[in-house]
Amino acid sequence: MTKRYANLALVYAVLAMVFGVFYREFTKFYQFSGKTNLSVLHTHYFALGMLFFLLLMVLEKSFAFSADAHVGTYLVLYQVGLNITGLGFVLRGLTQVWGTALSRGMDAAISGIAGTGHILLSVALVLLLLKIKKHAA
């Protein structure tokens, strides 16, 4: 399982770099110099993707929690939540750079996407931490 965590950390590191380059080049192409949610994708994918799975790799070596039931489901839920959150950031960021006037409904929909991702991410994180705690005792 530690190899799986290392592979996931690598995937999220590459995604973080891609999002960083995309942010720089996309805003440069549109000559945009304001604030945009695209700027936080890079750090979110490094922290919540790469660093998270590197930390899980270390914790797995110490506590062997991954063999426990439902851990795989929690990891899938975590990744779904992270990527839905990322989608919310992308949608919000693109509309900011393009200067798109959003209706109240569309604005709420984008916020809802990001909020749903954050909720899934949070639930999965708490469930994973509880499994780790159980094996640490």
Side-chain angles (χ1 to χ4, degrees):
M1 197 64 158
T2 55
K3 185 170 183 150
R4 184 178 192 194
Y5 293 144
N7 288 337
L8 286 167
L10 178 62
V11 166
Y12 283 108
V14 169
L15 283 172
M17 289 183 261
V18 167
F19 284 131
V21 170
F22 175 75
Y23 159 67
R24 285 285 178 218
E25 296 305 316
F26 187 75
T27 55
K28 190 186 314 178
F29 179 80
Y30 282 96
Q31 299 173 354
F32 182 82
S33 60
K35 286 189 133 195
T36 174
N37 283 24
L38 292 175
S39 67
V40 298
L41 269 171
H42 176 72
T43 52
H44 272 71
Y45 272 78
F46 265 131
L48 297 174
M50 183 194 75
L51 290 176
F52 177 77
F53 283 105
L54 287 176
L55 178 62
L56 281 186
M57 188 172 65
V58 172
L59 292 171
E60 177 63 24
K61 285 277 192 188
S62 298
F63 304 119
F65 66 91
S66 294
D68 203 332
H70 305 295
V71 168
T73 303
Y74 301 158
L75 291 172
V76 169
L77 184 64
Y78 181 88
Q79 292 181 81
V80 168
L82 175 57
N83 289 298
I84 288 174
T85 300
L87 175 64
F89 283 133
V90 168
L91 292 173
R92 177 74 64 199
L94 292 177
T95 60
Q96 290 166 333
V97 171
W98 289 331
T100 306
L102 296 173
S103 67
R104 286 179 52 197
M106 186 59 78
D107 185 56
I110 293 172
S111 294
I113 290 169
T116 301
H118 277 89
I119 290 167
L120 294 174
L121 196 60
S122 300
V123 168
L125 181 60
V126 168
L127 292 171
L128 278 168
L129 289 173
L130 289 171
K131 286 290 184 187
I132 294 167
K133 179 184 172 193
K134 177 182 169 186
H135 284 270

